[in-house]
C-alpha cells in the first residue's frame, strides 16, 4: 500500500515561497506566484496526481432523469480481467430514514445519495462505480453493469412541481420565503409589469473534476482533491463512509479556479470507497461530459414583477413572485432563495415590498452555488423593470435610477439597515460620466466590425447601437445565522515567515493577500503559504468573498500577536510601550527616531508564532415575513454596457463594459481589476451565450462545443471607471469582496443595452438571436 508521502502531489493553490520581490505589502500589486506556471501550462493539477500501484475509477450514471431501480447486476463487470472492485449503494451506510439510497449528503440538507439505489432523480446521477488497473478497463466495466430501470414521468417544469407527486421523501418544496414590508394597499400612478426568465448557467471549469484517494493503515483514507472547502468535504465524506472525521484527511491539490463548489460529494466519496475496498490508491479523472453531470449549475429562474411608482418615477411598491428551479436535490437552494428575496428590489429605496419566493425540486440537474446566486436572477428582473418605468414616464435610464438609489442607512426590504458604505449614487455617476466609445463609422480608417464578427454576413445598415445601465448588489459571507469563522497561524523564523491557514485560493488571490498582510504587519519580505489540508484548523469554504474578510482577518490578528511578541522586549529595553514602535520598510523604529533596527536583526535566532481566529458579527434567520438582520455586509456595483445589434440577424456584439465598484479598500489593485474583469466576462457569457440546455430532463449540450463559453474574442473592452474606497469599518482592513457583484450586474446591463438598441422587451437570459430581431 502506498503511503501519502509517496504521492507526487501538486502544491496547494499558491503554496510556495513569495521571495523578496517588489512590490511589497498591502496596497501594492505583486504578481501571483502561480501565475506564470499556470499561463505556461506547467502548473500541476489534481489530474496530474500519481501513486505507485494506483487503480482507476469510473462511474456508471443514469441515462434517465427519473426512474425506479429494480435491480443491478454487476457480475459481468466483476468478471472482466483487470477489475478489482464494483460498488453500489449497498456498500454504503443507508440514510437516516433507512432508505436504500447510499449515504445521502449535501452542503446544507442531506438529501442527495452518493449512489442511487431506489430511485434516480436526474440525468447522470451516479448508480455504481468500478476500480480497475487501466482507465479504459474501468470504463468498459461500467458499460457491463446491467441496471434494470423502470422509467418514471419526469417533472421538469418548476411550476408543475407544486402539484406533482413527491419526487423525494422530503417533498418538492425546498423553501417558501414570503417577504412583507409596508402597506399592501399602496398603489402608484404608474405601474409596469414583466415576466423574466434566467437560464441554467454552468460554471464550466477549465479543469474537470479529478482526484486521488489513498487508503490509510488505520482504516481511514486520504483524499487529494481540488476542494474549496476541505473541512466541510472531509466531514461529509467521513459521515457518508461511516468513519470518524479524524480518519479522513483531505489535501487540497491544484485548484484550477472555481466560481462554484468544486466537487460533487458523490465523486470523492465513491473514490474513497473504492480505495478502502481495494486497499490501493484510486484515481478518478472525469471526462468533460461527466463533469457537466457532476457539478451543480446556476438556478434557472422565473420571475414575475410589478412596479408601482409616482409620476416622477419614484418607487411606491414592488410586488414579485420568484421561482427558482433547484433541480433534483436541495444543495444551497434555500440560501440562494434568501438572497433573491432580500435583493428583489435591488439597491433602490421602496417603502412597500411584497414578494413570494419559492425554490422547488424537479428532475432537472441539481443547481447550487455560483457567483451571486439568487442576486443575479433578480438583478436582471428589477433592472428590466426600471427600464420599462423610464420609458413609461419619459426619463433617461440614468435619471430613473438616480431618483431611487439607496444610500448608507437606508433599509433593505428585510428591514435590515444598510450600515456598510453604500455609495450607489457615486457609482452610477462614475459610469454615466465616462465617455462613450466611438462609432466605427466615425473613423474612416476603421473596419466596420459587424456583430457577427469580421466578414460577417450582415448588412452594416442594419446595425443599431444600444447603451444600457444596471446596478447590482451581493451579500458577503454567510447569511441567516451562519457561523463564519476562520483560524490562521503565523510563524516567523529568522528572515522568513510561514502562514498556515486552510483557506483555499480558488482564484481570488487569497494566498497573495495573506503574504501581503504578513509583509505589512511584520516587515518580513519572504512569506511562505503552506498548502491547505483538513489537518489544519477550520477556515471554511471559498465562497462569497469570505476569505478576504474572515481568513485575511485571522492572518492579520495572528501576525499582530507575533508583532507584539517581537516588539515587547525591544520596547522594554528602551523603557517605552510597544505602541510607540512601528515596523515599516523592513525596519523597527521608535516615535522619537532614537531606535532604528532592521527587522531581520531583531528576529535573528528567534522563532515566534501565534494562532488567531476571526469571526464577524452574527446574523439571524429571516422570519415568517422575510424580516431580519440576515447579512453581514453588502457590496455594490454600477455598470454601463454598449452593444451593437444586427436587428435583421439578431447578432449582438458587446463593444464595451464600463464598471464602477465599491471595494472598501483596494488591498491589491491589480487583483481587484482582474477579478472584476473575470466577473464581467462571466456575466457577458450568461447574457449572450451560456445555457446548459435540457429537454425532458436530459442534458443536451454537456460539452465545451455544445456549451458556448465566451472566448477572448467575445469578451469586450472592460473599462473600470472607479474603484471607490470607502472603508467598511466592521470588515477586516475595511475591504469588500469584488468578484461576484460584477458577474451579477453584467447580464442586466447587456440586456438593457440590447433593449435600447432594438426597442424589444428582452425578457430572458441568455438573449437568443430571435430576441433581438425587430423585423
Amino acid at each position: 500500500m502506498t503511503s501519502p508521502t509517496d504521492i507526487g502531489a501538486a502544491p496547494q493553490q499558491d503554496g510556495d515561497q513569495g521571495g523578496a520581490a517588489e512590490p511589497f505589502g498591502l496596497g501594492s500589486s505583486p504578481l501571483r506566484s502561480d501565475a506564470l506556471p499556470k499561463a505556461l501550462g506547467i502548473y500541476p493539477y489534481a489530474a496530474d496526481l500519481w501513486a505507485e500501484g494506483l487503480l482507476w475509477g469510473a462511474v456508471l450514471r443514469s441515462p434517465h432523469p427519473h426512474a425506479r431501480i429494480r435491480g443491478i447486476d454487476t457480475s459481468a463487470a466483476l468478471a472482466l480481467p483487470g477489475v478489482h472492485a464494483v460498488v453500489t449503494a449497498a456498500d454504503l451506510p443507508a440514510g437516516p430514514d433507512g432508505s436504500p439510497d447510499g449515504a445521502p449528503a449535501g452542503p446544507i440538507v442531506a438529501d442527495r445519495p452518493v449512489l442511487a439505489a431506489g430511485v434516480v432523480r436526474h440525468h447522470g446521477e451516479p448508480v455504481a462505480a468500478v476500480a480497475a488497473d487501466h482507465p479504459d478497463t474501468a470504463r468498459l466495466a461500467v458499460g457491463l453493469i446491467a441496471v434494470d430501470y423502470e422509467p418514471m414521468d419526469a417533472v421538469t417544469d418548476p411550476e408543475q412541481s407544486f402539484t406533482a407527486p413527491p419526487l423525494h421523501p422530503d417533498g418538492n418544496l425546498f423553501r417558501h420565503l414570503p417577504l412583507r414590508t409596508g402597506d399592501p394597499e399602496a398603489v402608484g400612478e404608474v405601474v409596469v409589469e414583466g415576466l423574466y426568465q434566467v437560464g441554467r448557467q454552468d460554471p464550466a471549469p477549465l479543469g474537470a473534476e479529478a482526484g486521488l484517494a489513498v487508503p490509510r493503515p488505520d482504516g481511514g483514507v486520504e483524499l487529494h482533491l481540488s476542494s474549496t472547502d476541505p473541512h466541510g468535504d472531509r466531514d461529509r465524506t467521513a459521515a457518508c463512509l461511516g468513519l470518524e472525521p479524524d480518519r479522513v484527511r483531505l489535501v487540497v491539490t491544484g485548484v484550477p479556479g472555481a466560481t462554484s463548489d468544486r466537487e460533487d460529494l458523490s465523486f470523492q466519496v465513491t473514490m474513497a470507497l473504492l480505495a478502502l475496498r481495494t486497499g490501493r490508491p484510486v484515481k478518478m479523472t472525469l471526462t468533460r461530459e461527466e463533469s457537466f453531470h457532476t457539478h451543480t449549475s446556476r438556478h434557472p429562474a422565473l420571475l414575475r414583477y410589478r412596479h408601482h411608482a409616482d409620476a416622477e418615477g419614484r418607487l411606491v411598491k414592488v410586488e414579485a413572485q420568484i421561482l427558482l428551479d433547484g433541480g433534483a436535490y436541495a444543495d444551497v437552494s434555500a440560501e440562494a432563495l434568501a438572497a433573491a428575496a432580500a435583493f428583489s428590489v435591488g439597491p433602490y429605496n421602496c417603502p412597500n415590498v411584497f414578494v413570494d419566493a419559492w425554490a422547488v425540486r424537479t428532475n432537472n440537474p441539481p443547481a447550487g452555488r455560483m457567483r451571486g446566486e439568487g442576486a443575479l436572477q433578480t438583478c436582471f428582473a428589477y433592472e428590466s423593470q426600471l427600464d420599462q418605468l423610464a420609458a413609461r414616464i419619459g426619463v433617461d435610464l440614468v435619471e430613473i435610477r438616480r431618483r431611487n438609489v439607496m444610500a448608507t442607512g437606508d433599509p433593505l426590504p428585510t428591514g435590515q439597515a444598510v450600515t456598510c458604505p453604500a455609495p450607489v449614487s457615486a457609482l452610477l455617476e462614475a459610469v454615466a460620466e465616462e465617455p462613450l466609445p466611438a462609432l466605427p463609422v466615425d473613423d474612416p480608417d476603421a473596419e466596420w466590425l459587424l456583430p457577427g464578427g469580421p466578414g460577417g454576413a450582415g448588412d452594416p445598415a442594419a446595425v443599431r447601437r444600444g447603451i444600457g445601465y444596471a446596478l447590482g448588489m451581493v451579500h458577503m459571507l454567510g447569511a441567516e445565522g451562519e457561523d463564519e469563522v476562520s483560524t490562521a497561524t503565523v510563524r516567523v523564523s529568522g528572515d522568513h515567515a510561514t502562514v498556515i491557514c486552510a483557506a483555499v485560493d480558488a482564484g481570488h488571490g487569497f494566498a497573495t493577500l495573506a503574504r501581503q498582510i504578513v509583509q505589512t504587519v511584520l516587515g518580513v519580505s519572504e512569506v511562505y503559504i503552506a498548502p491547505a489540508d483538513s489537518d489544519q484548523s477550520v477556515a471554511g469554504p471559498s465562497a462569497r468573498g469570505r476569505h478576504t474578510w474572515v481568513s485575511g482577518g485571522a492572518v492579520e490578528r495572528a501576525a499582530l500577536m507575533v508583532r507584539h511578541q517581537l516588539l515587547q522586549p525591544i520596547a522594554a529595553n528602551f523603557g517605552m510601550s510597544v505602541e510607540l514602535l512601528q515596523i515599516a520598510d523592513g525596519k523597527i523604529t521608535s516615535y522619537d527616531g532614537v531606535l532604528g533596527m532592521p527587522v531581520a536583526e531583531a528576529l535573528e535566532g528567534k522563532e515566534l508564532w501565534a494562532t488567531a481566529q476571526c469571526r464577524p458579527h452574527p446574523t439571524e434567520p429571516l422570519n415568517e415575513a422575510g424580516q431580519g438582520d440576515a447579512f453581514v455586509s453588502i457590496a455594490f456595483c454600477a455598470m454601463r454596457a454598449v452593444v451593437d445589434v444586427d436587428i435583421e440577424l439578431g447578432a449582438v456584439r458587446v463593444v464595451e463594459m464600463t464598471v464602477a465598484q465599491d471595494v472598501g479598500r483596494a488591498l491589491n489593485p491589480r487583483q481587484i481589476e482582474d477579478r472584476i474583469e473575470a466577473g464581467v466576462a462571466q456575466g457577458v457569457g450568461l447574457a449572450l451565450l451560456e445555457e446548459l440546455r435540457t429537454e425532458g430532463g436530459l442534458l443536451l449540450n454537456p460539452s465545451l462545443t455544445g456549451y458556448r463559453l465566451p472566448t477572448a474574442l467575445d469578451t469586450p473592452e472592460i473599462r473600470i471607471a472607479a474603484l471607490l474606497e470607502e472603508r467598511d469599518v466592521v470588515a477586516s482592513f475595511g475591504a469588500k469582496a469584488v468578484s461576484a457583484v460584477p458577474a451579477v450586474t453584467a447580464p442586466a446591463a447587456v440586456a438593457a443595452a440590447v433593449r435600447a438598441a432594438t426597442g424589444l422587451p428582452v425578457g430572458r437570459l441568455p438573449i437568443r438571436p430571435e430576441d433581438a430581431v425587430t423585423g
Side-chain angles (χ1 to χ4, degrees), residues 311-391:
E312 296 182 342
R314 291 183 176 84
L315 295 178
V316 173
K317 183 169 72 171
V318 171
E319 301 170 283
Q321 294 178 330
I322 300 167
L323 178 59
L324 300 185
D325 180 357
Y329 297 108
D331 207 85
V332 297
S333 289
E335 206 175 87
L337 195 74
F343 304 148
S344 56
V345 180
Y348 302 106
N349 284 311
C350 183
N352 309 293
V353 180
F354 295 87
V355 176
D356 276 290
W358 301 270
V360 297
R361 191 190 308 272
T362 64
N363 292 121
N364 290 319
R369 183 172 285 126
M370 275 191 73
R371 280 177 178 156
E373 61 268 14
L376 180 148
Q377 292 89 330
T378 53
C379 181
F380 170 54
Y382 64 68
E383 289 297 318
S384 299
Q385 286 287 105
L386 283 184
D387 284 357
Q388 269 203 77
L389 185 57

Side-chain angles (χ1 to χ4, degrees), residues 14-23 30-33 496-497 511-512 515 519 525-529:
D14 192 76
D16 65 348
Q17 193 132 333
E22 295 291 342
L31 184 69
R32 289 176 56 120
S33 60
H496 67 276
T512 304
R515 180 178 296 121
Q519 289 173 338
S525 61
E526 297 197 20
V527 182
Y528 176 84
I529 310 300

Side-chain angles (χ1 to χ4, degrees), residues 292-306:
F292 274 99
H293 284 294
T294 296
H295 53 244
T296 58
S297 54
R298 190 180 298 283
H299 290 78
L302 182 66
L303 309 103
R304 294 181 174 88
Y305 266 77
R306 180 184 294 124

Side-chain angles (χ1 to χ4, degrees), residues 212-294:
L212 180 68
V214 182
R216 302 194 331 187
D218 65 356
V221 65
E222 183 167 293
L223 292 164
H224 295 255
L225 297 164
S226 53
S227 168
T228 58
D229 183 9
H231 291 91
D233 285 347
R234 176 203 64 183
D235 294 347
R236 290 185 286 269
T237 298
C240 290
L241 294 172
L243 299 174
E244 292 299 317
D246 61 3
R247 292 174 65 189
V248 176
R249 182 182 182 219
L250 198 150
V251 179
V252 178
T253 305
V255 178
T259 59
S260 65
D261 291 337
R262 273 296 305 171
E263 309 291 350
D264 165 46
L265 200 63
S266 66
F267 168 80
Q268 60 210 48
V269 175
T270 300
M271 188 168 60
L273 179 62
L274 288 169
L276 293 173
R277 175 60 59 90
T278 61
R280 290 171 61 175
V282 173
K283 177 178 179 178
M284 279 191 184
T285 303
L286 299 189
T287 66
R288 179 58 59 179
E289 180 174 347
E290 287 180 306
S291 180
F292 274 99
H293 284 294
T294 296

Side-chain angles (χ1 to χ4, degrees), residues 230-231 234 249 487 499-503 530-539:
H231 291 91
R234 176 203 64 183
R249 182 182 182 219
T487 306
V499 176
I500 302 171
C501 183
D533 68 60
S534 61
D535 283 352
Q536 299 166 2
S537 298
V538 174

